[in-house]
Amino acid sequence: MLHIGCHLSSSKGFAAMGRQALELGADTFQFFTRNPRGSRAKDLDPADAAALAELLRANRFAPLIAHAPYTLNLCGAEESSRTFALETMADDLRRLEYLPGQFYNFHPGSHVGQGTEAGITWIAQALNALLTPDLHTTVLLETMAGKGSEVGGRFEELREILDRLDLPEKAGVCLDTCHVSDAGYDLIGDLDGVLTEFDRRIGLDRLKAVHLNDSKNPPGSRKDRHACIGEGAIGLEALTRVVRHPALRDLPFCLETPNELPGYAREIALMRERAK
């Protein structure tokens, strides 16, 4: 069975998101830990978190994906920027302990002129400060489109970060189909080749989740603009091969397409049918 969901708003609370996911036909979902363009998080209600945890168990959900704000940059040029990102992520991880066993996804960051090696060094140092033996959340590095000075547009960059971790078992990777295609990997014509390269560079055992998105731009554009399923340059047939692939089909898939809830419901139903 395909585990698939979409990005939901956390404004009404944890349990409300779980109920909304069920209404959409989802058995996983993604949410921002706080305002994606800001820093403040809502007060956490432990009873609400417990209610969601029970709903997840009762309905056999796949792991959820909590997404860090876009504003965080663990490898920024300014120390204040890096400190802000580190402290915000540490707070997110403390809060996620109320929902043990989920994923925490983040964009690795942009080195802003320092160079990729410096960016990788800063990111690995930050993760070593964040990851602890008693952590019940797996932190995911997201594959990026490679725009500007982004770190993570190439698989080998993510591998180098993972290789520097003291507790690598606490980390993994989330593969974004739009980003991977925009970064120049041939997701359309050679999915097997892309996954073979991922396995060689990172290891498929470290791939924990997939962002399932079409792209508004052709492969290799390094643009990062998501499109609805079947309405972009990747196309429905290629994305069908993704959800059917034996190396991927048991992972949680999350739609980040430019949709309202009815559109997400249609895409969830479409991809469930296509995955058969």
Side-chain angles (χ1 to χ4, degrees), residues 26-254:
D27 63 350
T28 183
F29 60 88
Q30 179 174 273
F31 62 96
F32 281 117
T33 56
R34 57 191 70 214
N35 187 323
R37 302 291 179 186
S39 62
R40 186 175 180 180
K42 290 174 56 179
D43 291 340
L44 188 143
D45 180 353
D48 186 33
L52 175 59
E54 177 55 35
L55 183 149
L56 300 180
R57 284 191 293 270
N59 293 278
R60 298 182 179 181
F61 269 55
L64 309 184
I65 305 172
H67 201 303
Y70 294 134
T71 49
L72 303 188
N73 188 3
L74 287 180
C75 59
E78 300 295 329
E79 183 178 359
S80 59
S81 173
R82 299 192 301 271
T83 300
F84 170 74
L86 180 64
E87 291 176 349
T88 301
M89 291 176 71
D91 183 51
D92 282 348
L93 290 172
R94 283 192 293 269
R95 294 158 66 88
L96 284 170
E97 287 298 293
Y98 286 90
L99 288 169
Q102 314 309 325
F103 296 141
Y104 180 59
N105 180 77
F106 77 104
H107 294 183
S110 297
H111 62 72
V112 289
Q114 300 174 94
T116 301
E117 176 60 27
I120 288 170
T121 298
W122 286 123
I123 296 164
Q125 286 181 3
L127 289 177
N128 279 330
L130 289 166
L131 303 179
T132 61
D134 58 348
L135 186 68
H136 295 95
T137 300
T138 301
V139 176
L140 304 184
L141 296 148
E142 185 171 339
T143 59
M144 302 307 295
K147 61 183 173 65
S149 61
E150 279 182 343
V151 177
R154 307 306 301 171
F155 295 157
E156 53 265 35
E157 294 171 9
L158 299 180
R159 172 60 184 268
E160 191 169 345
I161 295 168
L162 293 167
D163 279 352
R164 298 186 189 192
L165 299 185
D166 298 330
L167 296 170
E169 68 276 11
K170 299 291 183 178
V173 174
C174 176
L175 186 149
D176 186 298
T177 55
C178 171
H179 295 176
V180 165
S181 179
D182 281 16
Y185 291 97
D186 188 8
L187 200 71
I188 302 168
D190 189 16
L191 175 59
D192 283 338
V194 173
L195 295 178
T196 296
E197 177 72 359
F198 186 98
D199 193 34
R200 184 171 73 88
R201 295 289 187 180
I202 299 176
L204 282 169
D205 60 317
R206 286 171 152 168
L207 181 55
K208 305 298 183 182
V210 178
H211 284 162
L212 191 68
N213 305 305
D214 215 322
S215 175
K216 292 185 177 181
N217 292 286
S221 62
R222 297 170 69 130
K223 294 287 188 181
D224 185 10
R225 294 191 65 204
H226 297 191
C228 292
I229 301 298
E231 297 180 12
I234 299 174
L236 179 58
E237 293 305 318
L239 293 172
T240 296
R241 290 192 289 273
V242 171
V243 297
R244 285 180 176 172
H245 198 283
L248 306 176
R249 61 180 300 125
D250 293 331
L251 299 177
F253 287 80
C254 185

